[in-house]
């Protein structure tokens, strides 16, 4: 036997696992309804709108008309399958119309519940795989309970529209392959093969259709299944010894059929990408691995495994891996060639591939991994199965205190998740919780971010004074918060890509600040800019520490030094001086202000006294500095103006230039103040 006969679980463990499973799934469903908009969701709203309008699942600035721009090199990173499923779910419950994508609070909440349901399917698929491996339903229940006590899984199950569907899709493929292996080994009925094929096909569509670059991991899983199904098949006839082609065909037909059906679905849904399979295969991997053109660090993923995973499960997972490696003996597998399928060995190999293959490749390749381990959520179900094997060995050898340790292992991370609810993804292991304050005491850049995803801003919104200009996730200079962020220079209370705009109607109070003040909403730590005063915060206590999820602060405007002549290229050039209202697109080499709107630029005055302003562009009809209108002199390629000394000095050496567009779009190509 590959594995020893799994013992019956004591009632204490069975009932504890059942209770934990119900509580864990319940946490994700209730939290999904209560949590706020996460960082990526609003981007995926834009992507889905463009997909419905143009057939490309890309952002506005990625498109040149109705096709990807020549500058775009990320068109193979994401697909629309999960977004379409969530759109259908949301429209079904009246959160948005069919074919239109809403950014309302209600629509986001419905999508969150849809994500939680997708995660629940992943939990079920994990249980199925464990049941097929151990031939024990109680152990299947235990593995499902283990998975929902992984805070990264349950936390992201409340909102993550891309990583949870990929993880669930991957796990469906694993479960489907396991079903085919067991069906072949035990000569099960056609129904088992059909169910396995459906799971594999659905998993392919969900995972690859959401993140195409996941295909190498799925291919490895299927390859193991193919080898396990095909290699042992030999004829039983002494007259015609050799390979049994009929048996191989029967074994592989469900896999091949599932793969072909999945491709047909992907091709029909997203022909812009999947009509070019070679390009999709190659570019999806390279673009995903090098996303953002930022070099990775080999130590990042191992470090965050220790930070984000419960220490007990990390240790148990390592022990479960050791058990699996001992049982999957290569010589044992070779001896079985021609002797029939060893389903358990193959299932363990598949589970190991799901858990370790892509993470190890990412470490060796030094891929750009960021924001913790959530990009590898697909490994969590495999970890849960390996932990279950370890718990099985523990209970078999220590029948008195083994079950108690298993129950404690389930209870402790669930308690931690409840303490952080609904920001469960902010979990820190006990060692990390103890060490982080000492490590980060002298440098905020070393902090482990709590609510990186910004979902706590929904709860913070009532403390964000109505009517104020708000900057979310502000950029910093010398410890001060700036009135802009890396993603936008606009008021995040009114733009789509924002954790606040969906809840703008819950803001209270009346803004009484001056033109050189603004509000900053910062997430992930208790850090407040040196130019700011904290007004409110969302916090949670985890073990012996209070963790700050997000803060809102009232800040005095800090500007960068005079940058000299500025060129606006439509692709980020000049963005460091923008203070809101500007529109940029790589196809237009200028910063734009839409008709009837205003936009601002700010920096410190280059010197005392009167100044001369020169602006190149078109339709530049109105400019004011520090609230004072300027008299503009037309020039061949723009305008010029004199800035009186008293105006330049009126805001403490800060120059805030306001450009107003008339009936025609304003375009600003360059600017200088001297």
């Amino acid at each position: 036997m590959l594995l020893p006969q799994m013992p019956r679980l004591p009632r204490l463990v069975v009932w504890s696992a059942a209770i934990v499973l119900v509580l864990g799934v319940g946490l994700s469903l209730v939290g999904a309804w209560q949590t706020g908009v996460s960082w990526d969701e609003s981007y995926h709203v834009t992507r889905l709108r463009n997909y419905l309008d143009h057939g490309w699942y890309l952002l506005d600035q990625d498109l040149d008309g109705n096709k990807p721009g020549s500058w775009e090199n990320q068109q193979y990173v994401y697909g629309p399958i999960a977004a379409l499923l969530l759109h259908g779910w949301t429209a079904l419950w009246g959160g948005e119309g069919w074919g239109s994508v809403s950014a309302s609070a209600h629509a986001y909440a419905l999508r969150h519940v849809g994500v939680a349901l997708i995660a629940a399917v992943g939990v079920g698929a994990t249980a199925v795989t464990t049941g097929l491996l151990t031939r024990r339903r109680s152990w299947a229940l235990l593995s499902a309970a283990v998975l929902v006590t992984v805070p990264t899984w349950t936390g992201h199950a409340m909102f993550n529209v891309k990583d949870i569907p990929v993880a669930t899709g991957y796990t469906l493929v694993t479960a489907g392959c396991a079903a085919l292996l067991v069906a072949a080994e035990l000569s099960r009925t056609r129904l088992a093969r059909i169910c396995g094929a459906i799971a594999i096909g659905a998993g392919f569509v969900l995972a690859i259709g959401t993140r195409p670059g996941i295909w190498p991991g799925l291919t490895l899983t299927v390859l193991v299944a193919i080898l396990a199904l095909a290699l042992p098949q030999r004829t039983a006839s002494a007259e015609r010894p050799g390979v049994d082609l009929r048996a191989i065909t029967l074994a592989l037909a469900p896999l091949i059929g599932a793969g072909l059906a999945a491709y047909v679905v992907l091709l029909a849904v997203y022909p812009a990408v999947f009509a070019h399979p070679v390009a999709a295969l190659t570019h999806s991997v390279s673009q995903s691995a090098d996303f953002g053109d930022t070099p990775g660090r080999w130590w990042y993923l191992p470090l965050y495994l220790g930070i984000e995973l419960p220490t007990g499960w990390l240790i148990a997972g390592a022990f479960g891996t050791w058990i699996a490696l001992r049982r999957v003996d290569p010589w044992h597998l070779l001896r079985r060639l021609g002797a029939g399928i060893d389903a358990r060995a193959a299932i363990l190999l598949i589970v190991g591939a799901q858990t370790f293959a892509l993470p190890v490749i990412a470490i060796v390749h030094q891929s750009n991994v960021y924001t913790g381990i959530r990009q590898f959520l697909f490994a969590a179900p495999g970890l849960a199965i390996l932990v279950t094997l370890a718990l099985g060995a523990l209970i078999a050898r220590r029948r008195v205190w083994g079950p108690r340790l298993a129950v404690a292992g389930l209870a402790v991370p669930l308690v931690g998740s409840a303490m952080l609810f609904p920001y469960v993804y902010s979990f820190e292991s006990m060692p990390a919780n103890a060490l982080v304050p000492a490590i980060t005491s002298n440098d905020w850049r070393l902090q482990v971010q709590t609510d990186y995803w910004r979902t706590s801003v929904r709860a913070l919104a009532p403390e964000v004074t109505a009517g104020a200009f708000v900057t979310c996730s502000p950029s910093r200079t010398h410890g001060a918060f700036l009135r802009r962020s890396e993603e936008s220079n606009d008021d995040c209370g009114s733009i789509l890509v924002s954790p606040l705009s969906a809840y703008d109607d819950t803001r209270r109070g009346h803004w009484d600040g001056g033109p050189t003040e603004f509000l900053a909403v910062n997430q992930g730590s208790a850090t407040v800019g040196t130019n700011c005063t904290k007004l409110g915060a969302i916090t949670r206590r985890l073990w012996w520490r209070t963790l700050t999820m997000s803060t809102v602060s009232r800040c005095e405007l800090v500007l960068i030094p005079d940058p000299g002549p500025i060129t606006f290229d439509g692709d980020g050039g000049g963005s460091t001086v923008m203070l809101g209202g500007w529109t940029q697109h790589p196809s237009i080499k200028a910063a734009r202000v839409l008709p009837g709107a205003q936009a601002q630029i700010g920096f410190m005055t280059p010197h005392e006294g009167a100044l001369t302003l020169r602006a190149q562009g078109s339709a530049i009809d109105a400019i004011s500095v520090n609230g004072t209108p300027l008299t503009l002199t037309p020039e061949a390629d723009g305008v010029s103006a004199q800035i009186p000394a008293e105006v330049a000095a009126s805001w403490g050496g800060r120059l805030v230039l306001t450009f107003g567009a008339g009936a025609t779009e304003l375009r600003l190509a360059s600017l200088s103040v001297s």
Side-chain angles (χ1 to χ4, degrees):
M1 293 287 288
L2 176 67
L3 292 173
Q5 182 64 31
M6 303 299 281
R8 292 185 179 275
L9 283 175
R11 288 186 177 180
L12 172 66
V13 178
V14 173
W15 281 103
S16 297
I19 293 171
V20 166
L21 178 60
V22 171
L23 290 176
V25 173
L27 277 178
S28 63
L29 287 169
V30 176
W33 190 254
Q34 294 184 0
T35 199
V37 177
S38 64
W39 198 301
D40 288 343
E41 285 179 84
S42 51
Y43 286 103
H44 284 271
V45 167
T46 300
R47 288 178 182 274
L48 186 57
R49 289 176 177 175
N50 284 327
Y51 168 80
L52 295 174
D53 290 341
H54 307 297
W56 282 97
Y57 194 68
L58 295 172
L59 300 173
D60 293 343
Q61 61 266 33
D62 300 335
L63 293 171
D64 186 2
N66 61 357
K67 64 182 186 301
S70 58
W71 56 87
E72 173 56 24
N73 61 357
Q74 300 291 330
Q75 60 262 49
Y76 295 97
V77 173
Y78 296 117
I81 291 294
L84 286 171
L85 288 174
L86 296 172
H87 170 59
W89 167 262
T90 305
L92 180 66
W93 292 99
E96 60 193 16
W98 295 99
S100 63
V101 188
S102 173
S104 69
H106 184 56
Y108 279 120
L110 286 170
R111 287 188 205 108
H112 293 166
V113 174
V115 173
L117 292 175
I118 292 174
V121 173
V123 173
T126 303
V128 168
T129 303
T130 307
L132 293 169
L133 174 64
T134 64
R135 317 294 164 84
R136 293 282 192 186
R137 293 181 181 178
S138 58
W139 288 101
L141 173 66
L142 179 58
S143 68
V146 170
L147 180 56
V148 300
T149 62
V150 176
T152 306
W153 177 273
T154 298
H156 284 271
M158 301 178 190
F159 65 87
N160 195 319
V161 297
K162 55 182 184 178
D163 296 311
I164 283 291
V166 171
T168 293
Y170 203 140
T171 309
L172 282 171
V173 172
T174 296
C177 289
L180 293 183
L181 289 163
V182 172
E185 182 183 55
L186 302 181
S187 301
R188 290 286 176 87
T189 64
R190 181 183 301 176
L191 179 62
R193 299 178 189 274
I194 293 174
C195 291
I198 291 174
I200 293 169
F204 275 148
V205 171
L206 185 57
I208 297 176
T210 301
R211 193 188 283 272
I214 196 66
W215 71 263
L218 300 181
T219 300
L220 180 60
T221 295
V222 171
L223 181 61
V224 172
I226 289 174
L227 293 175
L229 288 167
L231 291 181
Q233 305 290 355
R234 296 291 187 273
T235 60
S237 171
E239 299 174 356
R240 299 178 61 190
V243 176
D244 189 341
L245 293 178
R246 182 179 180 280
I248 292 177
T249 302
L250 182 64
L252 297 185
L255 265 173
I256 297 171
L260 291 175
Y263 179 70
V264 170
V265 173
L266 293 172
L267 179 62
V269 173
Y270 200 16
V273 164
F274 292 105
H276 311 282
V278 176
L281 290 173
T282 56
H283 294 318
S284 63
V285 173
S286 60
Q287 291 178 3
S288 297
D290 300 322
F291 186 78
D293 297 322
T294 302
R297 295 153 293 185
W298 70 266
W299 48 264
Y300 183 91
L301 186 55
L303 173 65
Y304 271 83
L305 286 171
I307 291 173
E308 293 190 16
L309 289 180
T311 305
W313 283 168
L314 200 59
I315 296 171
F319 185 46
T321 302
W322 177 72
I323 292 174
L325 289 174
R326 286 190 61 197
R327 298 301 185 265
V328 183
D329 179 0
W331 295 110
H332 166 79
L333 298 179
L334 288 173
R335 287 195 300 271
R336 288 190 61 87
L337 293 181
I341 293 171
D342 193 338
R344 284 182 164 180
I347 293 172
L348 275 180
L349 286 173
I350 289 171
V351 169
Q354 179 175 352
T355 310
F356 295 109
L358 293 185
V360 170
I361 291 172
I363 293 171
V364 173
H365 183 263
Q366 298 196 67
S367 299
N368 181 23
V369 180
Y370 54 97
T371 63
I373 62 175
R374 57 90 188 175
Q375 290 165 298
F376 298 91
L377 271 177
F378 57 79
L383 172 67
I385 294 172
L386 294 173
V387 168
T388 301
L389 294 181
L391 294 179
L394 176 66
I395 292 173
R397 290 168 174 76
R398 298 291 185 268
R399 296 185 178 274
V400 176
W401 54 267
R404 297 173 185 173
L405 278 179
V407 172
L410 292 171
V412 172
L414 186 65
V415 169
S417 296
M419 295 175 74
L420 292 168
F421 180 82
Y423 318 116
V424 178
Y425 52 85
S426 301
F427 181 89
E428 295 175 0
S429 65
M430 287 188 176
N433 197 253
L435 294 174
V436 164
I439 296 173
T440 64
S441 58
N442 295 321
D443 191 345
W444 64 267
R445 291 170 296 184
L446 298 176
Q447 291 177 348
V448 176
Q449 287 200 332
T450 53
D451 183 20
Y452 165 85
W453 294 97
R454 312 195 296 190
T455 65
S456 62
V457 174
R458 178 181 184 177
L460 187 68
E463 300 185 60
V464 182
T465 310
F469 187 104
V470 184
T471 297
C472 294
S473 309
S475 297
R476 308 181 192 191
T477 178
H478 305 296
F481 283 168
L482 299 176
R483 209 187 82 177
R484 61 176 177 81
S485 70
E486 295 300 323
E487 64 178 351
S488 174
N489 54 68
D490 290 314
D491 180 355
C492 80
S494 59
I495 59 175
L496 172 62
V497 180
S498 163
L500 180 63
S501 58
Y503 315 107
D504 189 64
D505 59 346
T506 67
R507 294 166 63 183
R508 299 194 297 253
H510 177 73
W511 177 245
D512 59 357
T516 61
E517 291 182 293
F518 67 100
L519 294 182
V521 170
N522 190 45
Q523 85 291 340
S525 74
T527 301
V528 173
T530 55
N531 57 323
C532 305
T533 301
K534 186 169 72 174
L535 301 179
I538 301 299
T539 62
R540 291 292 187 272
R541 188 165 185 84
L542 178 63
W543 314 132
W544 44 81
R545 282 180 60 212
T546 296
L547 305 182
T548 299
M549 301 295 142
S550 57
T551 61
V552 56
S553 306
R554 183 168 182 157
C555 305
E556 185 67 20
L557 182 63
V558 170
L559 301 176
I560 66 170
D562 170 41
I566 308 165
T567 299
F568 302 93
D569 61 7
D571 194 23
S575 61
T576 57
V577 299
M578 293 179 180
L579 296 179
W582 297 98
T583 298
Q584 298 187 86
H585 193 275
S587 64
I588 300 174
K589 301 305 180 183
R592 298 175 293 145
V593 184
L594 299 180
Q598 291 186 334
Q600 291 186 322
I601 285 173
F603 48 86
M604 299 301 293
T605 181
H607 57 78
E608 295 181 356
L611 303 170
T612 299
L613 176 149
R614 290 183 174 85
Q616 291 182 319
S618 61
I620 304 175
D621 300 326
I623 304 176
S624 63
V625 174
N626 296 350
T628 301
L630 300 181
T631 300
L632 303 182
T633 301
E635 296 188 351
D637 54 358
V639 299
S640 64
Q642 297 300 309
I643 304 175
E646 61 273 16
V647 172
S650 61
W651 287 4
R654 291 171 289 198
L655 294 180
V656 176
L657 288 66
T658 302
F659 291 75
T664 305
E665 178 181 271
L666 182 155
R667 295 191 178 186
L668 181 63
S670 65
L671 175 72
S672 65
V673 176
S674 58

